Amino acid sequence: MSLKNVSILSPNPGNGRNIVALGVVNALAKHLRTSIFRPAVSPDETFTDMLLKYTSVDQTRAQAVGVTMPTARLRKKEAREQIVANFIDMNAELDPQARVIVGSDKTRVADPERFSFNADVSADLQSPVLLTVCTIGRSPDEVLETIESCSEVVTNAGTKVIGVFVTGCKDDQTTALKAYLKDCPVHVWTLPFLDMSGLTPSRADEAIALFDEHVPEHELMETLDSPFVPPTTPYAFQYDLLARAKADRKTIVLPEGSDDRIIQAADYLLQSNICDLVIIGERDDILNRGRALGLHSLDKARFQSMEDEQLLAIMVDRLCELRAKKGMTPDVARKTLRDPNYFGTMLVVLGQADGLVSGAISSTANTVRPALQLIKTKPGTKSVSGAFLMCLKDHVSVFADCAINLDPDAEQLADIALQSAQTAKAFSVEPRVGMLSYSTLGSGKGPDVDLVDAATSIARQKAPELELVGPIQFDAAWSSEVASVKAPGNPVAGRVTVFVFPDLDSGNICYKAVQRTANAVAIGPILQGLNKPVNDLSRGALVRDIINTIALTAIEAQRND
C-alpha cells in the first residue's frame, strides 16, 4: 500500500470536523503506521493531544505541529515555509505510511483567509482533501453551495477534494440530504451531531464509534486510494531540495565569504545540517561578522584562507598542469589564484569540495570562466548552458537557456534541450521538451524557424526516446486548449515541462517576466554540461535564493557519485 496523505478541512471547524479527524486517524492506524500533523494551532488547544493517542507511531506534540495561529494569520508566507519544513522533518524522523493533516481550529479572532490558507497548505504538503461541512443552520441548497465553493477554493490552491462529510445531521435530514447530494462528483457521508465540547477519552471513543457506524471502512479506504496527482508548490519544492541534500551531505565551496547574504545562507544550511561548506576567507573576520549579524552556526564551516602557502603550492602546480597548453607559468598561476573564483574552483578540482556556488558579487562570466577552464565540460558536450527551475503555483518547469549562450546554433540548441531534460529528471520533473519559436509545427516560415526545426531534428536523433515537440509557440506548449487548436493530436504539445528558448534574449526576458508577474520562484541558473556542479547566483539574489542554489548544487553533486 502506497504512502497516504490526506487533509481534513472545514469552513467551520468544530464538533463534526473533530469526529471525522478522530475517525480517519483511527481507521488508518489499524492498518498503517499513521501520524498526524496540525499546520497551525493555538498553544493551549488539546485536540492535537487527543489525536496523538490514536496514532500508530511514537509521535510527540512537537513533531505534530507547524506554527501558531497568530503566525498563520499575520505572516502567511513565513508560516507556509515553516509548516513545510516541520512536516518534512516529521516524516524523516517517523517514516509513517499514512499522514493525516488536520486544519486549523476556529478561534475568537476572525481570519477571513483561514480556509484558503489551509487549502494552500494542503497543496504545499501534497495532500488531497476530505471536506467536512456542518448542516446545522443550513438548508440542503446551502450545504451544496458550501461544498461547491469550498471545493473551488481547494482546486484553485492546486489540490482537490476527494470526499465530503456532512456533519450535524438530524435523523430526519439524513435521507433527504443523501438524495439531494447524490450527484456530487465525490463520495458523501453523513454524520449525526455529537457534542465534543468536553473532550475526554470516553467522548473520543464515542466519536470513533459513531464514525465507524456511519462510514464503512472500505469506502473510506477506496476514497483515499482514488487517483491523485500531487501538486508541487514552490514551498514544497524548496524544502524537498533541502531534504534531498540533507540525505547525502556533500561539500560546497563558497568563494564570496565577505558577502552578508552568503554567510547568512551558510549559517542556515549549517544549522540545519543540510550540507558541509567551505567558505573562502579569513576565519576570524567571517565569524566576527557572523556574530554581528546574530548568526550562531558558522563555526561548523571549514574556512579556507587564500594565503595558505602549503595549499597554494599544490594549486599552482595543478593549475600549470591543467593550462600547460595555454602557456601557464607558476607566476601567472599564482596571480590567477588571487581571484576567489579560481581559488574556489581549484578546491573542487583537487577534490576538497564537490561543487561551487558563486555570483552574489561576481559576474556570471567570472563564475563560469574558471569552471570552463579547469573543471571543463562533460564528454560529448559542446557547450555549457543555464537553466532555471521555475516553481509555479502547483508544478515546476525548466526554462533554458536563460543565462549563457547568446545565439546558439542548431547543435548547441539540441545540446541545451538534452541537458535540460536531464536536469528536469534529476529534480523529479518528467521531461517533456518544447523547442520554442514564433511558429508551431510549420505555421510560420523564416531562418529562425529553420534553426529550431534543425535543432529539434538533431535532438530527436540523439535521444529518440525523449518526448519532444518543435518548433512550437509558447502558448501551444503550455496550454492543452491552445494545443488542441494549433497542434491537434500532438502528444507533447500543451504538456511541455522543459521550455527551450531559441536565444538568450527570449529566455532571459521570459523567465524574469514569469518570475515577477506570476510570483514564481526561479531557482538557478543551473549551469548544465560541466563535469562538476558549479552554479551562478544573481547579484540581486536573496538569502533564500542562495540557500536553494547551494542545496540544488549539493543534489547535483550526489549524481556524480
Side-chain angles (χ1 to χ4, degrees), residues 117-143:
F117 174 80
N118 279 284
D120 288 337
V121 167
S122 296
D124 291 337
L125 304 185
Q126 301 185 310
S127 173
V129 171
L130 291 174
L131 180 67
T132 75
V133 175
C134 183
T135 191
I136 296 174
R138 289 189 172 111
S139 67
D141 272 338
E142 291 166 339
V143 169

Side-chain angles (χ1 to χ4, degrees), residues 413 417 432-444 448-460 466-474 476-477 487 490-494 496 498 500:
L413 206 54
R432 295 187 292 272
V433 179
M435 308 293 284
L436 299 177
S437 172
Y438 60 77
S439 168
T440 294
L441 302 178
S443 65
D448 291 341
V449 178
D450 294 340
L451 171 70
V452 177
D453 193 33
T456 303
S457 297
I458 295 168
R460 192 169 277 129
L466 182 64
E467 292 190 81
L468 176 72
V469 62
I472 189 167
Q473 292 163 287
F474 190 96
N490 187 284
V492 182
V496 167
V498 178
V500 179

Side-chain angles (χ1 to χ4, degrees), residues 65-133:
V65 300
V67 299
T68 65
M69 293 295 291
T71 301
R73 279 195 301 270
L74 303 175
R75 301 193 299 278
K76 287 182 168 54
K77 181 177 183 295
E78 175 189 326
R80 288 174 68 179
E81 290 180 353
Q82 190 60 53
I83 287 166
V84 175
N86 288 10
F87 186 70
I88 288 174
D89 287 345
M90 181 270 287
N91 292 325
E93 292 163 3
L94 301 178
D95 191 27
Q97 296 170 305
R99 305 172 292 193
V100 180
I101 300 150
V102 182
S104 52
D105 307 316
K106 65 180 178 182
T107 69
R108 288 189 292 272
V109 179
D111 181 5
E113 298 179 354
R114 186 192 57 77
F115 185 80
S116 60
F117 174 80
N118 279 284
D120 288 337
V121 167
S122 296
D124 291 337
L125 304 185
Q126 301 185 310
S127 173
V129 171
L130 291 174
L131 180 67
T132 75
V133 175

